[in-house]
Amino acid sequence: MKSICVFCGSSYGALEDYNDAAKATGKAIADRGMRLVYGGARVGLMGSVADAALEAGGEVIGVLPHSLKEKEIEHQGLTELHLVKSMHERKAMMADLSDGFIALPGGVGTLEEIFEVWTWGQLGYHQKPCGFLNINGYYDHLIAFLDHQTQEGFTKKEMRNMAQIAGAPEDLIALFERYSPPSTPKWIKKDET
């Protein structure tokens, strides 16, 4: 594993623990000699994860749409900053540059990003691990809902289990290093169509 993509909030959230976790994640990625790939901003948890990785001597690749650069939120101290035309292009490039995906605490955008790459994994477009860094139980309700989806027959257990969950970045990265994707990414049985 050479690069990990981190999706997270462009704000700091209500608890200092979220910012501490972002910093710990950036440092953990850099300490393992991996590159951080992220959304290219200098604000909120996004800026904290990037700054921590850079301070630990790591490489940080940012991918930012031009429209957000115009709002002056781009991080100017990155190893590389790719400016793209759209959010779609941003997500595709981040996925191509990454070997795994972590969702730190964040809002709707963070969820949309992690769910999209997780869905791509379920469809067999990639075999990269996806995971939630569950700081102070931030994702507890979401995890319960994902389990409920599985119980109600909308998500196969193998697909649900693709989402790795841990409370510390080192633990999540260790899960990624041992990750084995489902052997057949099928979510529909032929007799159900």
Side-chain angles (χ1 to χ4, degrees):
M1 185 167 292
K2 296 176 184 175
S3 299
I4 292 184
C5 180
V6 173
F7 304 123
C8 59
S10 58
S11 63
Y12 292 104
L15 302 177
E16 184 61 32
D17 289 346
Y18 302 146
N19 194 39
D20 292 343
K23 292 175 184 176
T25 301
K27 184 176 183 331
I29 291 169
D31 285 350
R32 283 170 174 69
M34 294 185 243
R35 290 185 310 175
L36 167 66
V37 176
Y38 87 116
R42 62 174 168 78
V43 296
L45 298 186
M46 293 175 74
S48 293
V49 71
D51 287 341
L54 290 166
E55 287 169 15
E59 290 183 43
V60 180
I61 312 300
V63 184
L64 188 72
H66 283 286
S67 61
L68 293 180
K69 182 184 186 311
E70 291 167 7
K71 296 178 191 239
E72 300 181 355
I73 66 163
E74 85 274 9
H75 197 301
Q76 298 187 359
L78 304 178
T79 310
E80 293 176 29
L81 178 63
H82 299 274
L83 295 172
V84 296
K85 294 178 184 176
S86 68
M87 293 295 282
H88 297 294
E89 190 177 342
R90 178 196 214 183
K91 291 182 292 182
M93 181 177 280
M94 290 168 75
D96 288 343
L97 292 171
S98 304
D99 301 312
F101 308 92
I102 292 175
L104 289 172
V108 173
T110 299
L111 293 177
E112 186 269 336
E113 291 166 328
I114 192 68
F115 279 123
E116 184 163 20
V117 293
W118 183 12
T119 300
W120 292 348
Q122 289 182 5
L123 294 172
Y125 295 159
H126 68 74
Q127 297 187 330
K128 303 171 185 180
C130 300
F132 294 89
L133 192 59
N134 192 22
I135 303 302
N136 282 0
Y138 181 78
Y139 284 116
D140 283 353
H141 295 289
L142 177 61
I143 293 163
F145 180 72
L146 296 172
D147 292 339
H148 176 69
Q149 280 184 314
T150 303
Q151 292 165 0
E152 294 300 310
F154 288 100
T155 302
K156 300 291 183 198
K157 188 173 182 179
E158 316 68 67
M159 301 299 138
R160 162 61 187 88
N161 290 340
M162 290 174 73
Q164 308 291 294
I165 300 162
E170 298 83 5
D171 296 338
L172 193 53
I173 292 169
L175 288 172
F176 280 17
E177 291 171 340
R178 294 190 305 270
Y179 176 74
S180 179
S183 58
T184 55
K186 293 183 180 176
W187 66 99
I188 299 174
K189 294 180 184 175
K190 288 186 179 183
D191 60 350
E192 292 178 350
T193 57

